[in-house]
Amino acid sequence: MATIKLEIVSPDKVVYSADINMLIVRSTAGELGILPHHAPLVTGLVPHAMRVKIGSNESLIAVAGGFMEVQPEKITVLASAAELPVEIDVLRAQKAYDRARKRLEEFKNCTSSAECPVDGQRAEAALHRAMARLTASGNPVA
Ligand code: ATP
């Protein structure tokens, strides 16, 4: 089975590096499946759990956002933050999720977003980062 090298880099380390068969990501333009010999591509990534396929195995890696560059032989993900399931502090992600939900509730109750003490977009982004971590760690939000 053909392979393509995947390297996921966060600001402080190489999070993941391996030869894989397929990567499924959520880009700013929608879901993308990347196979070996894919056409060159650069896209933004939204917070989600990336799906890495090697043979019949599929594993998840949380990405908080960033960019992906695809070359026929190599995929590079430059992530603002990324974690393997074993690296995820589930309790921390759950607390971040609850905090973001609470802030979004407060934001919805504001009559004017300009005068609202809550930054709705920031809360929404935090919610999606927390959901990505919960999904990748095997604790998806119901
Ligand atoms: P929190 O509010 O819990 O800090 P966050 O979404 O604001 O979450 P980020 O800014 O995306 O956090 O990440 C900051 C750093 O903390 C990164 O290095 C990231 O890998 C790490 N990190 C964030 N949440 C977790 C978690 N639940 N488990 C492990 N590492 C985490």
Side-chain angles (χ1 to χ4, degrees):
M1 201 185 279
T3 61
I4 183 166
K5 186 169 177 66
L6 169 62
E7 191 158 273
I8 301 172
V9 183
S10 74
D12 51 342
K13 62 176 178 177
V14 176
V15 176
Y16 184 88
S17 179
D19 291 327
I20 68 160
N21 298 123
M22 187 179 189
L23 175 69
I24 300 164
V25 297
R26 204 175 306 151
S27 78
T28 47
E31 191 164 275
L32 287 174
I34 311 292
L35 292 163
H37 312 300
H38 195 285
L41 166 81
V42 173
T43 187
L45 296 178
V46 299
H48 72 291
M50 296 185 288
R51 292 159 58 197
V52 178
K53 292 192 181 192
I54 301 178
S56 56
N57 262 10
E58 180 172 307
S59 46
L60 299 176
I61 301 176
V63 62
F67 294 92
M68 176 179 72
E69 183 199 34
V70 179
Q71 293 293 332
E73 311 289 331
K74 186 175 182 189
I75 306 167
T76 307
V77 172
L78 293 175
S80 54
E83 301 92 31
L84 304 176
V86 289
E87 297 172 320
I88 296 172
D89 177 339
V90 177
L91 190 61
R92 176 174 167 182
Q94 187 64 55
K95 282 183 180 167
Y97 176 80
D98 293 343
R99 208 163 46 239
R101 283 291 298 263
K102 194 160 160 266
R103 289 198 175 123
L104 282 173
E105 265 319 297
E106 283 169 35
F107 182 72
K108 276 186 210 141
N109 292 331
C110 283
T111 43
S112 135
S113 63
E115 284 166 34
C116 189
V118 175
D119 181 336
Q121 278 188 354
R122 191 173 158 190
E124 186 81 39
L127 183 77
H128 284 103
R129 291 196 301 274
M131 287 170 69
R133 289 177 176 126
L134 290 170
T135 300
S137 66
N139 300 274
V141 177

